[in-house]
């Protein structure tokens, strides 16, 4: 059996180029993800007004934002999603994120209730019980 011997003239070094590439890819990924996440909450929707609403300060809870436009179309992750696919999508995200997943519904005040109801039914089918509605404070209440 050959026993390796220590040779003091040999230098060992790490190749840093692949690690730098990975770090840059991660930075780009997180920047793009953050940008897409912000688009969901900044979509132009005329939200309903409510006096009893509370300011949302919890930023740690995993959340899915669903937008319901005035024409009744349901938007999830920047794309139109048929109501039949919502429960499957919610279940998949719930498996990744865990039991404390929250769904925020941003429904237009012009959207009929019949277009918001499938979102709530999909939450029930996938076992998501934390559902919040995005509203604005009425101007006369300020």
């Amino acid at each position: 059996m050959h026993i390796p011997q220590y040779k003091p003239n040999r230098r060992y070094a790490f190749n840093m180029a692949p690690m730098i590439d990975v770090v840059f890819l991660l930075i780009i990924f997180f920047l793009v993800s953050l940008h897409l996440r912000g688009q969901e909450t900044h979509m132009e929707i005329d939200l309903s007004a409510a006096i009893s609403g509370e300011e949302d300060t919890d930023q740690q809870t995993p959340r899915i934002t669903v937008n319901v436009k005035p024409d009744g179309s349901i938007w999830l992750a920047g794309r139109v999603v048929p109501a039949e696919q919502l429960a499957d999508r919610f279940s998949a995200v719930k498996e990744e994120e865990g039991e404390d997943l929250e769904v925020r519904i941003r429904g237009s005040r012009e959207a009929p209730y019949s277009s918001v109801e499938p979102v709530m039914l999909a939450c029930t089918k996938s076992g998501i019980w934390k559902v919040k509605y995005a509203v604005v404070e009425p101007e006369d209440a300020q």
Side-chain angles (χ1 to χ4, degrees):
M1 181 160 115
H2 177 60
I3 300 173
Q5 295 183 4
Y6 174 72
K7 295 183 181 179
N9 60 352
R10 192 180 267 182
R11 292 186 178 227
Y12 297 101
F14 291 106
N15 187 359
M16 296 299 288
M19 189 163 69
I20 292 171
D21 291 344
V22 168
V23 169
F24 280 129
L25 285 173
L26 285 173
I27 289 172
I28 291 170
F29 170 76
F30 286 118
L31 287 174
V32 170
S33 298
L34 183 64
H35 178 69
L36 291 176
R37 181 178 176 196
Q39 283 181 340
E40 291 178 348
T41 58
H42 296 307
M43 188 178 284
E44 288 294 324
I45 293 180
D46 190 20
L47 298 175
S48 298
I51 297 171
S52 62
E54 296 177 4
E55 186 73 29
D56 187 19
T57 58
D58 181 21
Q59 299 297 324
Q60 302 300 323
T61 303
R63 179 180 298 133
I64 300 174
T65 303
V66 179
N67 293 299
V68 181
K69 293 261 187 141
D71 62 354
S73 61
I74 300 171
W75 289 69
L76 179 66
R79 295 193 175 133
V80 178
V81 177
E84 301 82 35
Q85 294 180 4
L86 281 175
D88 295 333
R89 297 242 182 136
F90 289 168
S91 296
V93 175
K94 185 179 176 185
E95 287 179 17
E96 291 176 13
E97 298 292 336
E99 291 293 320
D100 60 339
L101 182 67
E102 175 184 297
V103 173
R104 176 185 289 166
I105 301 173
R106 296 183 75 239
S108 172
R109 72 176 68 198
E110 289 90 22
Y113 176 75
S114 61
S115 57
V116 176
E117 184 181 23
V119 178
M120 295 187 300
L121 290 174
C123 291
T124 304
K125 286 180 185 176
S126 58
I128 298 173
W129 306 112
K130 292 182 182 179
V131 179
K132 291 187 178 180
Y133 296 93
V135 295
V136 293
E137 188 174 359
E139 292 180 12
D140 58 351
Q142 295 175 355

